[in-house]
């Protein structure tokens, strides 16, 4: 390999550095960014935080391999302490970013207080996640023990992240919540918007390709298979053709509903308690409690 | 950011630690867990084991970038030795967990012996995987060399993990096997249950969303595209509504079958040798050898 | 756990090492490989390179959490320098591998020059990616800020990797390009072949299961949802049944087209400017500009 | 650089591996070693243990930079738990090694119990070390705060390790104790045998080259400078010319003694309370309380 | 190994945690510490900072092995930027600690400004260090090249750290300076107080055991061998017997002086220009320019 | 902490980067350096190489804690392979640097061949080191087992590094040899020039401050304590006052000699077989076999 003369390489590199600076300045000018320091929370730090929280929630199963029983509470306390420190810092970044977005000099919220309020939700999250573990064990013929579910099932990992993300979202940290959700999406292929409300005992099997939208509401004991979409029917746009943000536009799924692989449910419709939606069904209307909807129905109903 | 007084924060943290201990104790009481030490194998250690085995199987292509030819066998031997040590420890954890589940004082199997038996299967696995590499190269117009397949194709990575997981499953280590399978699922979006039997020369293209169930059997030279499901038709439940575990409930796919993207095949049906299943087909019946099934057929046949 | 006598274990291990060597030799003989040193680029090194390039493109948002404004250009220059060193080495490996494949003694290209030419494309890539960020922000009602898009959206991460991979592909480094693409596929579930041509302002929402083929061409402002396939209709084979490589076989998608979740478009068809393809549509024919194609149309049209 | 043909290199490497095996077998035969697994504790693991203990003893000064007040006890508990796990394992290795040395089938002691007994000594060690910190602060005109002493002074670091090592030695773990002592020696140049008894309020300034022997006894408030040796006068040998092990052979240094740089005190002599030993003094006799010994004295006395 | 019952172990651990908290509280009460967060700079972070500065001063020799010429300035800028960030944080910790020590509510200095002022000294430090490299090369018959000196000689490494530490000390950061000095002491066995003033072209050969005190002043071209002490003669104490801090008490060593191994020079004496002090000499008086002092002289002179 | 405006900080940083470049250019101009890429071997890589070689020489005692007996040879082979790769690269750097120093276009030696020749010496080094282990065990009353010696004694660690460095020096790689020696010096305080010749069965006790010069020759069974110098009497200089390099100038120490702590032996003198040199003795003349030299002798003899 012939090495070009150093001077030339250095010049090339400098030109690219300069051109990239130009591109950044154009962007910052267009979007009124100051470029004054780290602007956003960090994926890496939040990923570590979620891992710490998972270990603190389930120390003997998701914690470090060397953990001994006598150190369990200390591990939990220490890990939560570290997670809390991260959350305070990252929350402060989000609040500042949000204030800057809205042209305010100071953030409205108090990052330390939000972090403490999040901390308090963890025991309740653990109880919810225990109900999800049981649901997976009881719903899957291939599951041999409740522990296997926690260790292996991507649906469970997605729910751990979602239940964390949903609390953060509710506390007013939608950006951090979204990062937490996307980290789980990257690992599991399951894409749950942190705004979605999911009741206890949820079971998502296989999970790849599942999408659950921001305003979706799922009751108790809902079971969902791979490639199911609970989405919006169409996206309302404003005069400029930009999406209008924030209004209810995803399905309500009542208790004990089962939705098989590949089914698509769109819009603010309601799937009544105990209904079964068959594989690959395409559904844009509400369904009565106890109904069974299969592909043929949906085709005749929808076509 | 106003820092709350330390004493309060410490109290808050301690209360959450206490509440989480309470939640763990309730769970352990309900599930008769003793909380006496690490209960389960470790995802992190098994992930490292799979990476070591991949390098030992394909040292010059998946091993360390600095590997030199004269050190190839030593690298293989050293890496296998380390993987074996991990497998013995993790297998002992699974056997103990399994004995505890069944109320036995001692495990039935011998972890060291199982690990040694697994070791012996590796040369055969390498031959099988070589056949998969060739199948991908011959089946994909975008493939430029056999090496590109091994390096890039998620289908190949999923098959390396599956062939390892399947042996572990057959040796009586279903939990470790499942972790290995889910690690590949997380990376590739391809979800193959370790119980599934897959013949040589298998090619899974793109792969995201593929699901192959526990009792599925695939012959030689099968080709599968993204979002194909080889699943169970329905899940039989016992008197309590819990899934009945273990019986054959997934398809048999004979030699040289091709299944295009998005097709769903459910139940213990047989796709005959050389059949072609079109994209998005929904299939719950057997298909004769050499048949071509397209979406219209499936709709008329199934609807 | 009873430990078998060391001598036996050592013998077992040696036998497996020997058998694996035998398997490698058979493969190398069959494929005329020399086993003379590292044959292929390294996924790990290329993954680090992509992360470095992402940070250099968006230093305050994807760079290190501790980056300060006064160090921004130095970080960019340093990171690009390191990425360039990696690219030169990896490109040299690919060129040598390619020459070996074709029985040539020496590579045609010059790795250092290719790396420098790649470097020069980065400012243009940044501008393209800025257009993608804006498209996502304007197209998704759940997006709260342009920054959230860059940090969270898998579609954006896939496009960063694709735009890098596409340049590498165009420069004659298809293997490295493919590794870059597959790294993004593993993280996002979005599988874009590096050969695909994608115009500015592209938005891929959710993304899991999206497949875009090697010869696909997408215009400006195209919007795509999860599980959309832009694929080949069938794979032409030569006399031996092996795939014929390289000819145009994937769709052309014109400006401002929207393709909803689960739609499948196969073959060298053209989707005209501004057309909307509905969810789950199966399409193997061209579509006029401005058309709206829904599932019923496609079924009647295709069945 | 011309690469020799691979086969030759591989042969060379194999020959060296074989010759090294031969050397190991000769050693093991001569020393009746079985080569049956890891024989000795690990420097790396013990180094991590000492660092963990240091952090647990002084969390806000030697613990992690990110530690927050509310997490202090949890950090201490978690870190001690991890250190305890390491100590149990390493102590078991030492006990087994010791039993093997003496031809016994089983160790005499119980590693877990020894580890627990060590744990109980920590609060007392902290009080001792607090007295050492004060002594250094009061004795050094360059010290500006008690905290600087803990953070910077090698004498303090050596005493932290020594006080840990001395307890381990007293509990019957002389090998682990020695490793702990040598780790401090490597870092500070201060070589204190774990058997040495050192009273509270000890101050070792600069410290490089200090040697304190196995049976030395130092009272309260002793001050020592660099290159001081408290050694044995001569080494008694048995009939084979090998050293006779274990008998008292190093000095007794009473309370409030000061020994200046480069002084050498050899044999089981006593330096009386409050005595001052001048720089470079060579001393092999006892000294009365309150004496001042300078170089001239020592030369006339010793020469 | 018999595992004691978990409950007991947990109790033991908790008791030790409680007792350690008690010890901390007694200390904090006695020394009026608040325990309110990290009190002191971090050795680990400062060690990384020194390594970064060394690389920035000598990029092609002490920087990363992969550094390429075209990236040299970017590496320097990026590394300095990171070192500056660390220095600002650590300096803020020291200033706060210092204010707390003196009972002030706010620090006097401005950490960011001090860090910037330190930054400006680096080009001058590089010139000084270049003179030290030359002095070592010219003074040691075993040195084969100027580069060997920089890479290998502990004396050079100690001087890099000292010249950094001396600037920090002069800027009013004596604690950070001391940590930097002690890190070098631990690595090289050379203990130079950051307050010592050292002229250009200094050469410290071998170096182990060298001690240079806080108020020592060394001229240009001084050469020093192992175990040389430039110390204080005696330590003045106040009414409580505590050391009086801060007054000139170490030697002045003029230009071109050579001091051989083991020599000890104590007190505010002056070694005149070009003097040679022999090995093991013990010296507490001034020496005229050009003198040669050997052991016999010193004995007669001092004894 | 008030943050200065970014622009100013960026300017400050850039000015320092520019000034450092200026300093580098002046140095390079003065020393005719091209600044064309990494000039020197890397301490970090050589440190890793020494650790790898130590593990390969003593796998069950200095190798990884998890090593199992059946993997011992594979570990040795793999580790040597990696060390060899490093040595080839680093040797090539030294040879190029040496050629550049002497104004030659190409290195004289062949790095790969030197590395292979070094490899062959390892079995002999292991035998030598076994003799050193025995000598330490037999010579130290505090040693309880041969294994303790290998694990703990800094003298042994220094000899492992020295025996490696001495071979590298003899092969014509004096710079790499020196780095290896200085790494051991930093860890142990024992400074042995790689040129020194040391016979089997050497024991260096405590070791801090020991200096052994380039042309020293030690026979079989020599025992040395801390702070012993085997140095040069004076340094001959050329017309410019620069040291004349390379001629014999350090002591010859015959078989079974013992040299106690603090003794200094200077010049090309011979200490006859079995002689004993007392503590702190200053010696610049030869000593007959079997003599005992104590401090009084030396003073009368030397003064």
């Amino acid at each position: 390999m012939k090495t070009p003369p150093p001077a030339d390489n250095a010049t090339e590199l400098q030109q690219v550095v300069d051109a990239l600076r130009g591109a950044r300045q154009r962007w910052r000018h267009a979007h009124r960014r100051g470029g004054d320091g780290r602007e956003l929370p960090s994926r890496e730090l939040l990923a570590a935080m979620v891992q710490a929280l998972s270990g603190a929630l389930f120390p003997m199963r998701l914690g470090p391999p060397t953990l001994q029983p006598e150190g369990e509470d200390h591990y939990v306390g220490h890990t939560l302490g570290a997670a809390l420190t991260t959350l305070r810092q990252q929350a402060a970044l989000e609040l500042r970013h949000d204030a800057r977005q809205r042209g305010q000099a100071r953030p409205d919220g108090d990052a330390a207080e939000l972090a403490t309020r999040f901390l308090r939700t963890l025991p309740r999250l653990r109880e919810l996640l225990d109900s999800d573990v049981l649901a997976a064990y009881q719903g899957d013929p291939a599951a041999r023990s409740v522990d296997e579910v926690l260790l292996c099932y991507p649906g469970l990992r997605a729910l751990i992240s979602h239940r964390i993300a949903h609390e953060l979202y509710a506390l007013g940290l939608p950006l951090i919540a979204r990062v937490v959700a996307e980290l789980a999406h990257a690992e599991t292929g399951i894409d749950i918007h942190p705004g979605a409300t999911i009741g206890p005992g949820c079971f998502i099997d296989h999970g790849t390709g599942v999408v659950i939208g921001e305003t979706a509401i799922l009751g108790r004991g809902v079971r969902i298979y791979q490639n199911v979409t609970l989405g919006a029917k169409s996206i309302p746009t404003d005069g400029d053709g930009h999406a209008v943000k924030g209004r209810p536009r995803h399905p309500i799924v009542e208790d004990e509903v089962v939705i098989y692989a590949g089914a698509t449910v769109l819009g603010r419709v309601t799937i009544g308690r105990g209904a079964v939606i068959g594989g690959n069904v395409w559904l844009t209307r509400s369904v009565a409690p106890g109904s069974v909807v299969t592909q043929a129905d949906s085709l005749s109903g929808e076509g």
Side-chain angles (χ1 to χ4, degrees), chain A:
Chain A
M1 167 175 47
K2 190 185 62 182
T3 307
D8 289 3
N9 272 342
T11 307
E12 284 277 3
L13 183 55
Q14 189 59 51
Q15 286 170 350
V16 173
V17 170
D18 293 343
L20 285 172
R21 187 193 322 107
R24 287 200 304 275
Q25 286 168 344
R26 279 191 293 281
W27 172 268
R28 285 171 186 164
H29 183 75
H31 297 274
R32 268 152 299 173
R33 288 287 179 279
D36 49 352
R38 178 73 186 185
E39 294 169 357
L40 292 173
S42 153
R43 267 175 89 92
E44 286 69 30
L45 297 178
L46 290 172
M49 183 189 79
V50 171
Q51 195 173 21
L53 291 172
S54 301
L57 286 165
F58 299 98
M60 278 299 164
R61 290 177 281 176
L62 301 184
T66 55
L67 185 61
Q68 298 298 312
E70 74 264 26
E72 202 171 10
D73 273 353
H74 297 293
Y75 164 74
V76 170
H78 174 55
T79 307
L80 288 182
L84 203 56
T85 300
T86 301
L87 183 54
R88 281 180 197 145
Q89 294 166 338
Q90 300 295 306
L93 282 172
E94 172 162 1
L95 294 178
R96 270 209 296 277
H97 177 260
D98 182 58
R100 213 159 40 209
Q101 285 280 109
R102 290 180 296 129
Q104 298 186 349
R106 298 187 139 276
D108 289 342
D110 175 329
E113 193 197 312
L114 293 184
T116 300
R117 282 166 59 195
F118 171 73
L119 186 72
R120 285 187 206 127
T121 68
L122 289 174
R124 184 165 49 78
L125 293 195
R126 160 79 198 226
E127 307 270 8
L128 273 172
L129 289 164
D130 282 344
S131 76
D132 299 330
V133 168
L134 277 179
Y137 176 65
Q138 289 166 354
D140 181 8
R144 286 156 199 271
S145 78
V146 284
D147 299 321
E148 180 181 350
V149 168
L150 191 58
L151 195 63
C152 306
Y153 279 47
L156 224 288
R157 298 181 90 82
L159 285 167
I160 293 175
S161 290
H162 172 69
R163 298 202 181 282
I164 290 169
H166 186 64
E167 295 298 333
L168 295 166
Y169 180 91
L171 286 166
L173 296 168
L175 182 50
I176 290 178
R178 187 68 187 260
V179 174
V180 169
E182 284 300 336
L183 288 165
H185 182 193
E187 191 188 342
T188 64
I190 299 171
D191 181 354
I192 312 178
H193 194 285
T197 303
I198 300 186
C202 180
F203 173 36
I204 303 172
D205 201 8
H206 308 298
T208 312
V210 164
V211 174
I212 301 179
E214 184 177 16
T215 64
I217 298 172
L218 282 70
R220 170 183 303 268
V222 171
R223 207 190 313 162
I224 290 178
Y225 290 82
Q226 70 268 23
N227 277 321
V228 163
T229 294
L230 303 178
K233 199 168 173 184
S234 72
I235 297 174
T237 52
D238 63 17
D240 295 339
H242 298 173
V244 175
K245 299 181 189 271
R247 81 169 68 147
R249 61 197 183 280
H250 303 96
I252 295 169
V253 178
E254 296 185 346
D255 296 355
E256 310 296 338
V257 165
V258 179
I259 309 181
Y260 284 106
T264 302
V265 187
L266 302 180
R268 191 53 157 194
V269 300
T270 298
I271 311 296
R273 179 185 171 88
V276 175
I277 310 300
N280 276 14
V281 162
W282 177 271
L283 197 65
T284 57
R285 57 169 173 85
S286 290
V287 163
S291 315
V292 175
V293 183
T294 65
Q295 206 175 29
D297 298 325
S298 78
L299 290 171
S300 58
E302 292 299 300

